[in-house]
Amino acid sequence: MSQQTARGGSAAWALVITSVAGFMAALDNLVVTTALPSIRKDLGGALPDLEWTVSAYTLTFAVLLMFGAALGDRFGRRRLFIVGITVFTASSAAAAMAPGIDSLIAARAVQGAGAAVMMPLTLTLLTAAVPEARRGMAYGIWGAVNGLAVASGPLVGGSLTEHISWQWIFWLNVPLGLILVPLARLRLAESHGTGAPLDLPGTLLASGGLFGIVYGLVRGPVDGWTGTVVLTGLFAGTALLMGFVLYSIRAKNPMLPMRLFRSRAFSGINAASLLMFLGMFGSIFLLSQYMQGVLGYSPTEAGLRMLPWTGMPMLVAPIAGILSDRIGGRPVVATGLFLQALGLGHLAVVATADASYAAQLPALIISGIGMALYFAPASNLVMSSVRPKEQGIASGANNALREVGGALGIAIMASIFASRGGYESGQAFVDGMRPALVTGAAAVALAGVATLFIPARRRPTAPTSPPAGPTPEPVLETAS
């Protein structure tokens, strides 16, 4: 079976459809956080129940990403993309109409499953539709939209909850999904992967391993890191992932070929993605609470004041994509990660219980530029590090590592926060947040170091000897 059964379809339409779908999936990672008090008031539930409204989505999303990508490669990427949007849209409506906290958690879990099928296929469908010379700019726009979704989740959730109702954080997805399904059917070309049969043993090992680890990470801050269930999840998950690696090395048609990690480009960008999301997710989780709980801003006011960070991808990421086409993705991604690390470190230094917005603004701008420089070229590096037939599973693996990194970041930084501070006063919150932000900055800086191990893009060289015949014109070397 060929990698593509059709090359038709408009690149512009593909960019719009995949960007909006990616926005929906990425937004729902953190959109619920600022709505939790209102959800508790309406539906009841203890604090662990409320945290599961966030964790249920993260869990199924991370666990099923690679399986969703494999399904798309096997049965058609456009077909499964439409299935994913449909499941995501229907479960969003179910979440909005949930009569109780348990039904909301169940709807969020199904929502994560739909996103896991939809999200990794956005990149492969976009790659199939856009000519190679323009992919950097396309990835830039796609990355800008996804980066904005991740960072603005608390703002969107807080604004809708404050001015309408918490149900609208889910109703928002329904009209978008109803529009995307027919557009995807009409405007996207179908494509396939290698056509190999589904790797069921590998799927079970990878899904079980990710489930155990992500479950342990999201429950650790609540149940305690020495709790039996948490330790069982972490150790069993690690053992299953080790079994997945050993199995995949020997399997004939593994879901994730281990030979991909022999590529410095593939290994480097995936390590960088995990560490970047670790630092970014944990920082946003704490800073959103800091602006509301300590500085006294409303959810909407806090979101607006974070726009120099969260809105920057819309301005800078398309430029970053163009730069990556011209000079390669490695220097752009590395620069972005080091800038974001610098911004987070600066925020840790200037944070006080009564910090002025002017003191925080430079750090927010630097972090925003850094995040924007990362998203687009990182996607390009992932997709260009593997063969076209393996782009689906490469996208799934990268997205899975990002989600695990995000869960790990919230767990680690929340634990550091709890050990050094708390919610008793503004100063106690700052005492806990500062070392957590330093940890996040260190993780993002390590991501920048990992990016430096990616091979630089090669420049074409002139022929070593002239061809026979008349003396040729001089050959000028140009940047690729």
Side-chain angles (χ1 to χ4, degrees):
M1 187 179 294
S2 64
Q3 186 255 345
Q4 292 179 348
T5 58
R7 187 76 187 183
S10 164
W13 275 112
L15 179 58
V16 170
I17 294 167
T18 57
S19 294
V20 173
F23 181 90
M24 292 164 61
L27 181 72
D28 275 60
N29 267 303
L30 293 173
V31 73
V32 179
T33 53
T34 47
L36 291 178
S38 297
I39 292 174
R40 182 178 185 179
K41 182 179 179 181
D42 285 355
L43 302 182
L47 182 60
D49 297 321
L50 295 176
E51 292 185 350
W52 268 113
T53 63
V54 180
S55 301
Y57 182 86
T58 303
L59 195 61
T60 54
F61 192 11
V63 165
L64 298 175
L65 271 164
M66 285 196 290
F67 183 52
L71 287 174
D73 285 349
R74 180 68 179 87
F75 297 110
R77 292 163 178 164
R78 182 186 65 179
R79 178 183 300 171
L80 267 294
F81 178 71
I82 292 172
V83 171
I85 294 174
T86 303
V87 172
F88 185 86
T89 303
S91 56
S92 296
M97 295 185 293
I101 194 69
D102 291 336
S103 56
L104 176 60
I105 292 171
R108 287 284 286 167
V110 177
Q111 211 184 7
V117 175
M118 175 175 67
M119 187 65 173
L121 298 178
T122 58
L123 268 182
T124 49
L125 289 166
L126 184 61
T127 301
V130 178
E132 185 174 357
R134 291 191 290 155
R135 283 177 189 163
M137 183 173 64
Y139 291 147
I141 297 171
W142 181 91
V145 174
N146 280 267
L148 179 64
V150 170
S152 64
L155 167 62
V156 174
S159 298
L160 290 174
T161 301
E162 183 178 346
H163 298 295
I164 309 178
S165 72
W166 66 263
Q167 286 88 349
W168 276 94
I169 63 180
F170 302 115
W171 282 127
L172 179 66
N173 295 321
V174 175
L176 292 176
L178 292 175
I179 293 171
L180 285 180
V181 167
L183 280 179
R185 189 172 187 85
L186 293 173
R187 298 293 182 177
L188 294 180
E190 184 61 282
S191 64
H192 295 79
T194 60
L198 285 176
D199 177 16
L200 292 180
T203 299
L204 293 174
L205 287 169
S207 298
L210 287 173
F211 179 87
I213 289 177
V214 176
Y215 181 87
L217 292 177
V218 299
R219 299 309 303 168
V222 180
D223 299 339
W225 292 103
T226 58
T228 302
V229 175
V230 172
L231 289 177
T232 300
L234 292 174
F235 283 114
T238 301
L240 288 172
L241 285 184
M242 291 176 62
F244 171 71
V245 171
L246 294 174
Y247 165 81
S248 298
I249 291 173
R250 297 173 173 81
K252 183 178 180 181
N253 294 303
M255 180 175 68
L256 178 61
M258 289 296 110
R259 58 179 171 74
L260 296 180
F261 290 95
R262 298 174 190 166
S263 164
R264 284 166 53 197
F266 186 79
S267 296
I269 192 57
N270 278 288
S273 295
L274 185 146
L275 290 166
M276 188 273 188
F277 270 66
L278 189 156
M280 184 186 70
F281 261 59
S283 299
I284 291 174
F285 180 75
L286 290 175
L287 285 170
S288 176
Q289 297 181 71
Y290 166 69
M291 286 194 167
Q292 295 177 61
V294 178
L295 301 183
Y297 299 124
S298 71
T300 303
E301 290 171 340
L304 289 174
R305 282 164 174 77
M306 290 182 72
L307 276 179
W309 181 11
T310 61
M312 196 62 69
M314 293 298 292
L315 301 176
V316 179
I319 300 172
I322 295 172
L323 282 175
S324 72
D325 283 339
R326 295 189 176 182
I327 65 175
R330 184 183 74 160
V332 182
V333 171
T335 301
L337 291 170
F338 288 129
L339 282 175
Q340 188 169 12
L342 177 64
L344 291 176
H346 188 187
L347 282 170
V349 171
V350 302
T352 63
D354 58 352
S356 68
Y357 183 61
Q360 302 170 60
L361 185 58
L364 294 171
I365 293 174
I366 292 170
S367 295
I369 294 173
M371 183 170 68
L373 290 175
Y374 161 83
F375 271 108
S379 302
N380 206 345
L381 286 171
V382 171
M383 302 305 278
S384 62
S385 67
V386 298
R387 296 181 297 183
K389 292 183 178 181
E390 296 168 331
Q391 287 175 337
I393 195 58
S395 175
N398 184 256
N399 277 283
L401 287 171
R402 289 181 178 188
E403 289 301 311
V404 171
L408 184 61
I410 291 176
I412 290 176
M413 294 174 70
S415 295
I416 294 172
F417 168 81
S419 67
R420 301 291 297 273
Y423 294 92
E424 297 82 15
S425 66
Q427 187 58 50
F429 192 99
V430 171
D431 290 341
M433 185 181 72
R434 276 180 167 172
L437 288 181
V438 170
T439 302
V444 178
L446 284 175
V449 173
T451 306
L452 297 179
F453 287 91
I454 298 172
R457 189 169 67 178
R458 295 178 180 176
R459 294 162 59 93
T461 56
T464 55
S465 58
T471 301
E473 295 293 326
V475 177
L476 299 177
E477 184 181 48
T478 58
S480 59

